[in-house]
Amino acid sequence: MQETLTAQENTVARCGDCNALLSLPPLKKGELAQCPRCHGVLRNKDRWSLKRCSIIAFSILLLIPFALNYPLLSVELLGTKIDASVWGGVWKMATEGYPYTAFLVFICAIFMPISFAVLVILLQFARLLNKKPRNLLLALGYIKPWVMFDVYLVALGVSAFKVRDYAAISIDIYAIAFILTAILTTLLFIKINPNELWNDFYPQHTHPSNISATHSPHFCPNCRYTFMQPMRDLKLRTRCPRCHSLLNKTPAMTLQQTWAALIAGIIMLFPANIFPISYTYMNNIGNGDTLFSGVITFIGMGSYFVAFIVFVASIFVPISKIIIMLYLLCCIHFNWRHSIKWQMRLLHIVHFVGRWSMLDLFVLALMMSLVTRGQIINFSVGPAAFYFGAAVFLTMIATSFFDSRLLWNIYDRQQAK
Ligand SMILES: [Zn+2]
Ligand SMILES: [Zn+2]
């Protein structure tokens, strides 16, 4: 029955944001289907073909060795030229006593962008070979939020400003490779849509006539598939028939996971703000800077714009993110009936800004390779850096666990009264 559907017919889709059940007409190229209730995007045909994306991914892979390995910035310190590269910064952090902090930077600035490009190319191969790339598609969905090359690009600018006062700074020719890679990665990030790729490889086949009055369709949040019959595995657990991920998560479990990640993030934020995040040594006298005093230093130097960027990225965003998440979780727990439009807007903001908090850590990695040990001026990462990175990671995980449909459940109950 399901296989006889043609592309011209409507399909049934649940909105992943608000759980509304909708009938979707087939879309033409360039069209976008929005949920009439929460305005979440259901389908998006405004995107590049996988072929074009894979060409971009291939160019990224060609450029990335130059972007990561070759110097981006160099400074003249006491007649010696010191270079800073992405890889050099991570390596220096790892070998000088901060392996965990280095690992966080490595994941976001090196590992994830490369894996992202490789996955896109592998998906194109799967298309050419007519394979069903279930695991590749799942991996793409997991990796995408952690690709942070654009954040690194801004970090490069901030570090240039920071070092400017100690030494003459010059931007190397290889920085062009880095900037190009950053632009291409950002383009690929915007133009590739894992949900649409799922629909390309595994078209959605739930027809409005298949829906019975007694059973409402299931929805898989991983691949955004709306279906009638879940699959059962050997242990009789319910799984999504398209991506095979487990569907046994109850709202209570989702809430618990969100709380656990969020509380861990809040705990990490205390040492992140109390301990020094960086040390600057001048003539062997160490001077520790906390996140906050770092901003004050910039203001003292008259670099108001950089002070503003650093303040927003490393103090304002992490703290307001946690306050918003606490507020949304309380809304669910205590059935607060506030404007759903406002709550959804807050959630979108939290999703969007999350990555930018890594900025400070990238700046530290670059600074570390620029201002080397053993000189008159010396720069080192402080113990707060790891806690800060962990706080950013944990709050990002908390927002990814958060299920906005729980907010809409409250709204639905309120409307039903
Ligand atoms: Zn919706
Ligand atoms: Zn699925």
Side-chain angles (χ1 to χ4, degrees), residues 138 198 219-225 227 239-245 247:
L138 279 174
W198 273 110
F219 176 77
C220 168
N222 275 315
C223 68
R224 305 212 150 210
Y225 185 39
F227 53 93
R239 284 179 185 271
C240 165
R242 182 154 88 168
C243 70
H244 295 186
S245 42
L247 292 172

Side-chain angles (χ1 to χ4, degrees), residues 328-342:
L328 292 175
L329 283 167
C330 285
C331 284
I332 293 172
H333 278 282
F334 302 114
N335 276 314
W336 289 348
R337 290 164 194 175
H338 297 162
S339 156
I340 190 82
K341 221 173 166 180
W342 170 238

Side-chain angles (χ1 to χ4, degrees), residues 14-20 22 34-42 344 408:
R14 260 201 199 287
C15 170
D17 292 337
C18 74
N19 220 17
L22 306 150
Q34 262 186 324
C35 169
R37 191 157 86 138
C38 73
H39 304 289
V41 177
L42 296 164
M344 289 306 284
W408 283 94

Side-chain angles (χ1 to χ4, degrees), residues 2 8 69 74 80 122 147 161 181 183 226 272 288 290 349 380 399:
Q2 294 190 356
Q8 270 71 50
N69 252 324
S74 50
T80 39
L122 288 177
V147 179
F161 262 99
T181 316
I183 292 170
T226 310
T290 59
I349 293 173
S380 166
T399 42

